[in-house]
Amino acid sequence: MPITQDDIARAGVVGAGGAGFPTHVKLSGNADTVVLNAAECEPLLHKDKELIRHNADRIVEGLRRAVELVGAKEAVVGIKEKYKDVVAAIQRVLPGNMRVAPLPDVYPSGDEFILVYLTLGRVIAPGAIPLSVGAVVMNVETAFNLANVGETPVVDKFVSIAGAVANPSTVRVPLGTSLAEALQLAGGATIPEPAYVVGGAMMGRLVDSLETPVTKTTGGVIVLPRDHFIVQRKSWDWNKTMRIGRAACDQCSRCTELCPRYMLGHPIEPHRAMRSLGFNSSREADVLGTQFCSECNLCSYCSCPEGLDPRGVNHENKARLLAEKKRWINAPFHPERADVLLAFRKTPTKRLMQRIGLDAFDNHGPLLTTSYQPKQVVIPLRQHIGAPCAPIVQQGDSVVRGQPIAIRPVVDGKAALGADLHASINGAVAQITQDAITIVAQ
C-alpha cells in the first residue's frame, strides 16, 4: 500500500542510528538510487546483520517504499562481502531493480560518504549530502521501520549488547527501556565496576547511569573494564587533549594520510588542526577544514603513533566554528584522491580491533527472540534532529502500545522538524517533564 511522507512522520520513523534524522524529510527529495547501509562497520555490533537474517523480506519492503517515494531507478545494498549468509539471505528476496554491492571489511565503510563511493563510485563534495550525487542512504533498521508504516509505529528498538557480558546478543526492547534491563537480557556484565559505551566503540559515548533509556538511535551497549583503552580515551577532557597534543605532536601527518574524508578529496587535515594547538599563529587557516570531519575517531584511536587525539581537536574547533557561524564556502575539493588513495589506505577491521583492544571479546550477537516487557519506560521527547515533541497526553491517562503520546510542535503554521512518539507499552502515564514521558505498566 502506498504511503506518504506524512505517514512516515506520524509513525515516528527516524534514522535508527547517529543523530536520528527524520526519514520523511530524507525521502522528500528525488534520487536515482537508494543505498541501504548494511556495512555495520563499528566493531562488535551485529544488530543490522541479525535484522537481515531474520527479517530480510521486511527490509526489502522498506527499501522498495523508499525507492518509490524518491523516484529512484534502483536500490543498492552495501554489505560486507565476508558475511556470506547475510548476503545470501537478502539476495534471495531482492527484486530486479535491487542489487548487493559487496564491501571490504574495513572501517569506516558505514560512513555515508565512504559508502556512496564504495557502492556507486560517486564522491560527495565537502559540505554536501548524498542527494547531491543522486543518492539517498538509509540504514537497515530504518528500512525495517519504514516497512511497518501503516501497521505499527516505531515502538521497539534493536540493540547490540557486547563486550564483557555473559551472552553477547542482539535484543529487541520497547523504547524507553533502561540500559540496565537491556544488559540483563544478555546476562549482565561479567566484570566488577564496568564502564558502558552507548553506540559504537569508535563513535559512541560513555554513560554514567544505566537508568538511561533506550531511544530510537541507540544502536549498541558495549561493556568494558574501566582501565580499557576505549574507556580511558573517551574520558579525556579538552584540557588534557590540548595539553598532551601541544607537547607531543611531531606533525608526522599520519592522521591526515589515513583520514577517510581527506582521501575523498575534502579539505580536512587533522595534523594541521593539531598544529593549531600552539605550533604557529595561523590558527584559523589550520582549523577551517575541521568542519568537514566525520569524527570517525580513526585518527585518534588508530592512526596516531603518539596516541594523541586529533578527533577531539577537530570536534572542539567544529563547535567553535559553528557557534561563530563560520562556514567554508566553495571549499577546495579534490575528488581524484578517492581513486588514487582510498583503494590503498583502507583500515582493516581486524587490525583496528587489535589496535583498540577489542579482539579479546566474543564478536557475535545473535538475535534473542524472547519478548521483553518492562515495568516502566521513560520516553525522551527528543529522539531525533529537530524540535522536541509536544506531549498530547496527561498524567494519569491510560495508554496502549502504539498510541501517539507526543507529536511534532507546530511553528508558524507548519510542523517542526521531527517525528511523533508513541507509547511502547500498555500502561498509565506516571510523569511528564520537559524532557520525557514516563509510562508505568498496568
Side-chain angles (χ1 to χ4, degrees), residues 220-262:
V221 182
I222 302 176
V223 181
L224 296 171
R226 291 193 175 273
D227 61 355
H228 192 276
F229 168 79
I230 292 294
V231 177
Q232 293 298 307
R233 292 305 300 270
K234 290 186 183 296
S235 301
W236 281 19
D237 60 19
W238 170 240
N239 286 333
K240 186 171 184 178
T241 293
M242 181 173 56
R243 184 178 70 254
I244 297 176
R246 179 180 294 165
C249 180
D250 60 9
Q251 288 291 285
C252 71
S253 79
R254 188 174 175 83
C255 54
T256 294
E257 291 167 3
L258 295 178
C259 172
R261 292 292 179 91
Y262 172 80

Side-chain angles (χ1 to χ4, degrees), residues 43-44 46 162-166 168 190-191 201 222-225 227-230 349-364:
L44 302 182
H46 295 278
V165 294
T190 57
I191 55 175
I222 302 176
V223 181
L224 296 171
D227 61 355
H228 192 276
F229 168 79
I230 292 294
T349 304
K350 183 177 180 180
R351 179 67 60 84
L352 175 65
M353 291 180 68
Q354 292 171 341
R355 175 81 172 180
I356 62 178
L358 294 181
D359 55 325
F361 298 104
D362 288 340
N363 190 18
H364 68 279

Side-chain angles (χ1 to χ4, degrees), residues 266-407:
H266 293 198
I268 165 70
E269 298 178 89
H271 77 282
R272 293 191 63 186
M274 294 298 290
R275 188 186 305 167
S276 73
L277 294 177
F279 294 105
N280 68 23
S281 59
S282 58
R283 183 167 184 255
E284 205 67 1
D286 286 336
V287 303
L288 199 55
T290 60
Q291 63 192 271
F292 305 116
C293 173
S294 68
E295 302 196 31
C296 71
N297 251 328
L298 194 60
C299 55
S300 295
Y301 290 1
C302 186
S303 304
C304 180
E306 302 290 344
L308 307 181
D309 188 16
R311 197 281 321 175
V313 177
N314 286 346
H315 174 81
E316 190 72 16
N317 283 296
K318 279 176 67 175
R320 179 181 64 81
L321 291 169
L322 180 63
E324 296 175 359
K325 297 182 179 180
K326 292 183 178 179
R327 187 74 177 164
W328 198 349
I329 306 300
N330 297 321
F333 179 35
H334 300 282
E336 67 278 1
R337 279 192 209 143
D339 290 337
V340 174
L341 299 180
L342 197 56
F344 307 102
R345 295 186 186 175
K346 298 186 183 78
T347 301
T349 304
K350 183 177 180 180
R351 179 67 60 84
L352 175 65
M353 291 180 68
Q354 292 171 341
R355 175 81 172 180
I356 62 178
L358 294 181
D359 55 325
F361 298 104
D362 288 340
N363 190 18
H364 68 279
L367 177 64
L368 302 183
T369 56
T370 305
S371 177
Y372 179 69
Q373 293 298 314
K375 293 181 179 179
Q376 80 166 31
V377 292
V378 179
I379 301 179
L381 295 172
R382 187 171 187 170
Q383 301 188 34
H384 48 256
I385 283 181
C389 285
I392 57 172
V393 292
Q394 296 181 352
Q395 187 171 330
D397 285 354
S398 294
V399 294
V400 297
R401 178 175 160 90
Q403 175 184 332
I405 58 172
I407 61 175

Side-chain angles (χ1 to χ4, degrees), residues 120 132 210 246 316 388:
L120 305 180
S132 67
L210 287 182
R246 179 180 294 165
E316 190 72 16

Side-chain angles (χ1 to χ4, degrees), residues 156-172:
D156 290 332
K157 188 71 180 72
F158 293 87
V159 183
S160 289
I161 310 296
V165 294
N167 301 297
S169 309
T170 298
V171 300
R172 182 177 186 173

Side-chain angles (χ1 to χ4, degrees), residues 136-213:
V136 166
V137 179
M138 64 189 308
N139 72 22
V140 171
E141 191 172 354
T142 304
F144 176 81
N145 290 333
L146 189 59
N148 294 329
V149 172
E151 301 172 17
T152 307
V154 181
V155 290
D156 290 332
K157 188 71 180 72
F158 293 87
V159 183
S160 289
I161 310 296
V165 294
N167 301 297
S169 309
T170 298
V171 300
R172 182 177 186 173
V173 296
L175 288 174
T177 301
S178 71
L179 296 182
E181 293 170 277
L183 281 166
Q184 284 306 310
L185 292 176
T190 57
I191 55 175
E193 298 184 4
Y196 305 96
V197 177
V198 173
M202 297 296 287
M203 298 184 71
R205 71 187 193 282
L206 290 173
V207 294
D208 297 324
S209 172
L210 287 182
E211 294 308 307
T212 301

